Amino acid sequence: MSSPEDSALDEGEPVEHVFEVLRERLYGAISCLATLAVLARYTTETTSAWARLLDVAVATGGLWAASLFADFVAHLGVYGSRPHRREVAAMLQASGQILQAAVIPAGVLTAAALGLLKTYTAMWIAMWALVGELALIALLAVRKTQLRWWQKLLTVLVLASFGSVVLVIKMLAH
């Protein structure tokens, strides 16, 4: 199985772009996880799954727009001109990872909205799916390192537990 970073590097993508894509995917997953954790605290038996889906869509869309805005302004500041078509495509590909990170939670919440799950249950499934996604990203990130197998495993466990820590902190803070 090839990962997004493998195919990007095979096609001659600059390492910086692969870095940006992975960073945005992690940022999107962690931000979506944090959003769901806050929303879960205020989700009751009467909370509409459609409302939670809209909450996630607005939060994710806002983060995506902010990422694009930041890239555009940074490009103007560094290069003194607007980005060219290829640079805009690279920005959209990288920032699109934020939107992609919310696909599984959106699917689970849609299932709840259609009556297949309770909203509260769907929130927890979506959160743990994101923790699993963080673990998968960590696994892909460490697999080519020079670490020993047990160091790779430990690194993946530590990075994946970061998602759990985010979940707990957000739940306690709100």
Side-chain angles (χ1 to χ4, degrees):
M1 180 175 115
S2 76
S3 64
E5 66 269 17
D6 285 341
S7 60
L9 289 174
D10 292 343
E11 296 169 8
E13 283 288 333
V15 172
E16 295 83 17
H17 181 65
V18 176
F19 175 85
E20 291 169 3
V21 167
L22 288 173
R23 181 193 65 224
E24 293 298 305
R25 185 55 171 255
L26 279 166
Y27 189 55
I30 291 167
S31 296
C32 190
L33 178 60
T35 298
L36 288 167
V38 170
L39 292 172
R41 287 282 304 235
Y42 303 102
T43 299
T44 66
E45 288 184 23
T46 60
T47 304
S48 164
W50 290 116
R52 287 299 176 245
L53 183 59
L54 180 61
D55 290 332
V56 169
V58 168
T60 302
L63 183 61
W64 173 73
S67 174
L68 278 177
F69 177 73
D71 278 352
F72 184 81
V73 171
H75 191 282
L76 284 176
V78 171
Y79 299 107
S81 65
R82 66 175 179 76
H84 297 291
R85 193 172 295 168
R86 177 173 273 155
E87 294 161 327
V88 170
M91 287 177 187
L92 286 169
Q93 183 185 22
S95 66
Q97 296 299 310
I98 293 169
L99 299 175
Q100 289 179 21
V103 167
I104 292 173
V108 173
L109 288 169
T110 299
L114 296 173
L116 301 174
L117 298 165
K118 293 185 184 254
T119 303
Y120 190 76
T121 302
M123 296 290 289
W124 280 97
I125 291 170
M127 287 187 285
W128 286 110
L130 285 170
V131 171
E133 183 178 329
L134 290 172
L136 179 61
I137 293 169
L139 179 64
L140 292 172
V142 301
R143 71 190 167 129
K144 290 186 177 182
T145 64
Q146 300 301 315
L147 299 172
R148 294 186 177 139
W149 72 267
W150 62 269
Q151 292 171 317
K152 289 180 183 183
L153 179 62
L154 183 62
T155 302
V156 168
L157 291 174
V158 167
L159 293 174
S161 67
F162 178 73
S164 300
V165 169
V166 166
L167 205 113
V168 169
I169 290 171
K170 282 295 200 176
M171 294 295 281
L172 292 174
H174 294 278

